[in-house]
Amino acid sequence: MMLRPHKKLKPPPALSDHPSTRRWEDLDVDCLANVLARVGMESLLLSLPFVCKSWYAASLDPSCWNMLSFPDFEPYPLFNTVHNTNVEPKSFGVFYNKFVEEYHIDNSRFSITGFIKLVVDRSKGKALELKLPRFCTEEALRYVADACPGIKRLSFSDDLVVFKHSQILPEVIGKWKLLEHLILGGNMENLMEQFGVKSGDYLSRDFEDKVLSLDKELSLDVIPARNKNLLQILVQVGIHCKRIRSLHILDVCVGEYEASAIVKGLPNLVFLTLARSRIERKALVMLLEGCKKLRCFDVRNCEGFQADGEELQKLGSHIKEFKWTWDLTGYNHFHAVKMVILAQAKLNQLMRMSRRRQNRC
């Protein structure tokens, strides 16, 4: 069912009867849609539909939804002082709160998955750019992959180790055959903000459900070196996305396998970013020597190799912009927060198991 604005539509402004004066509602729909396509999602949903009927109709044109840039979604607080599994969300973020209010939606019935589906359906499969919100769901990611096969620019900011739905990226990313620009990771900054301000005894249950279950294969000791998701993603991108020219990945671990996947599978890369990551020295050398077409390579604030500026500059002499300055404070903080999150998730699981045993007794 299509959402319609509940506000009373304003009548078009009175205009002169002069022959040279034209009304907006008389403008060709294609021309009007071309103009409205440049205003962004917030205006398309919260402003334009309430101007007049012709603008509302034009805002539904699929060409207005070529660029789907979803504002970041704010779920329940990530860290709670009380482990309450029945906490209801009070705020989804400024944009989503406005949307709920304007369309008179019950807070308890609003979901980020439903909202993403609504917007994606308006594009009718013609979307070219997609920026998913932080903490989006696995269901939403799968839906977008099927509904928008023509995506050329994709941004997915969730951490590639911590969140469950990053595991399905290797399954769906191959559906974007026309992909040219890919941005992955970089969500740890938001986690740090919440951890620093609202840390407590427990992770909120809603957030914990998105965190990878810790088992014998995924222990705290091997987290820094584990990068299974990233490797699988890079392999699938190399197989299916032959037009990739720009790859930006943050807060990951890059070893020889990952570097080899980039060099062999993405030989036409022009822009490569691996900032705030851990990069093995052999992997860095492999990338510098193997990516012959790079014009910009960003490895700022990384860890894992010695900062030998002269040697690095020599290896990267063919790269027009080679950015390699160091400030490991940021990396160490990201790494520490990730360890806290994973450790707390395991502790919460153990505590719930203990409570269930006690209840049975």
Side-chain angles (χ1 to χ4, degrees):
M1 183 174 68
M2 182 176 295
L3 273 177
R4 295 184 180 276
H6 284 253
K7 281 185 177 179
K8 185 178 180 181
L9 297 176
K10 299 177 182 178
L15 297 176
S16 168
D17 292 331
H18 192 278
S20 63
T21 302
R22 297 187 60 186
R23 295 176 180 271
W24 274 101
E25 62 266 30
D26 296 331
L27 187 64
D28 183 79
V29 175
D30 291 338
C31 294
L32 184 55
N34 184 274
V35 174
L36 301 187
R38 306 168 191 272
V39 302
M41 186 181 298
E42 182 169 354
S43 294
L44 283 171
L45 289 171
L46 303 180
S47 300
L48 299 179
F50 305 111
V51 174
C52 62
K53 291 182 180 180
S54 62
W55 282 37
Y56 169 66
S59 71
L60 299 178
D61 190 289
S63 64
C64 291
W65 304 90
N66 285 337
M67 296 187 295
L68 306 180
S69 181
F70 291 93
D72 286 328
F73 175 67
E74 297 176 8
Y76 314 143
L78 307 187
F79 296 89
N80 290 338
T81 54
V82 178
H83 194 56
N84 186 347
T85 59
N86 298 315
V87 176
E88 291 294 334
K90 296 182 179 180
S91 174
F92 305 101
V94 175
F95 168 79
Y96 298 103
N97 289 340
K98 287 183 179 179
F99 178 81
V100 168
E101 180 181 352
E102 294 288 358
Y103 290 88
H104 302 283
I105 301 172
D106 186 346
N107 267 21
S108 62
R109 298 182 60 188
F110 177 80
S111 74
I112 190 61
T113 301
F115 179 82
I116 290 176
K117 288 182 177 181
L118 166 73
V119 173
V120 166
D121 286 345
R122 291 195 175 185
S123 73
K124 304 295 185 183
K126 296 183 179 181
L128 301 177
E129 298 186 18
L130 172 65
K131 175 188 174 295
L132 289 167
R134 292 185 304 226
F135 311 114
C136 87
T137 63
E138 176 181 331
E139 182 183 354
L141 182 58
R142 290 186 183 277
Y143 188 85
V144 172
D146 290 329
C148 301
I151 294 295
K152 293 184 177 181
R153 184 182 184 90
L154 173 67
S155 177
F156 182 81
S157 64
D158 280 357
D159 185 83
L160 299 182
V161 174
V162 172
F163 294 101
K164 284 182 178 179
H165 44 272
S166 67
Q167 292 180 305
I168 73 161
L169 267 179
E171 299 177 33
V172 301
I173 204 163
K175 296 182 179 182
W176 289 302
K177 309 290 186 185
L178 305 180
L179 199 60
E180 298 177 4
H181 309 277
L182 178 60
I183 304 171
L184 297 173
N187 198 34
M188 291 306 295
E189 185 173 1
N190 179 261
L191 302 185
M192 285 176 60
E193 290 175 0
Q194 292 216 28
F195 173 68
V197 177
K198 302 178 180 179
S199 60
D201 296 332
Y202 302 99
L203 290 175
S204 67
R205 184 62 179 274
D206 177 73
F207 175 65
E208 186 183 335
D209 287 343
K210 303 179 189 300
V211 177
L212 287 170
S213 299
L214 297 180
D215 51 27
K216 293 181 181 179
E217 182 185 7
L218 186 60
S219 66
L220 294 177
D221 294 333
V222 301
I223 283 295
R226 182 184 172 88
N227 229 31
K228 183 178 179 181
N229 289 336
L230 177 60
L231 178 58
Q232 292 178 340
I233 291 169
L234 291 173
V235 169
Q236 292 304 312
V237 169
I239 294 173
H240 300 286
C241 309
K242 300 298 185 181
R243 298 189 180 188
I244 283 284
R245 297 293 181 270
S246 175
L247 177 64
H248 306 276
I249 309 177
L250 303 173
D251 309 327
V252 294
C253 299
V254 179
E256 292 183 62
Y257 291 111
E258 290 76 28
S260 177
I262 293 174
V263 171
K264 295 179 180 179
L266 308 172
N268 296 318
L269 272 183
V270 178
F271 303 96
L272 176 60
T273 298
L274 298 171
R276 296 201 314 249
S277 298
R278 180 182 179 86
I279 307 177
E280 295 178 5
R281 184 174 182 80
K282 289 183 179 180
L284 180 61
V285 172
M286 188 181 299
L287 291 168
L288 288 171
E289 293 179 341
C291 297
K292 303 295 186 181
K293 297 184 179 181
L294 278 186
R295 293 208 306 263
C296 181
F297 186 22
D298 187 348
V299 289
R300 288 176 292 182
N301 303 332
C302 290
E303 184 187 69
F305 55 90
Q306 194 172 13
D308 188 341
E310 186 176 345
E311 182 181 358
L312 288 178
Q313 283 186 337
K314 184 177 180 180
L315 289 173
S317 59
H318 63 288
I319 302 174
K320 185 177 181 180
E321 294 184 63
F322 181 29
K323 306 173 183 179
W324 52 271
T325 55
W326 277 264
D327 179 7
L328 296 183
T329 304
Y331 173 84
N332 291 333
H333 285 175
F334 286 128
H335 184 71
V337 173
K338 189 179 295 186
M339 294 301 99
V340 170
I341 290 171
L342 293 172
Q344 191 63 63
K346 182 63 175 178
L347 177 61
N348 290 358
Q349 292 173 356
L350 294 174
M351 292 185 69
R352 284 199 301 275
M353 291 172 59
S354 176
R355 287 175 183 172
R356 285 197 292 267
R357 293 193 189 100
Q358 291 177 0
N359 293 335
R360 285 198 296 267
C361 295

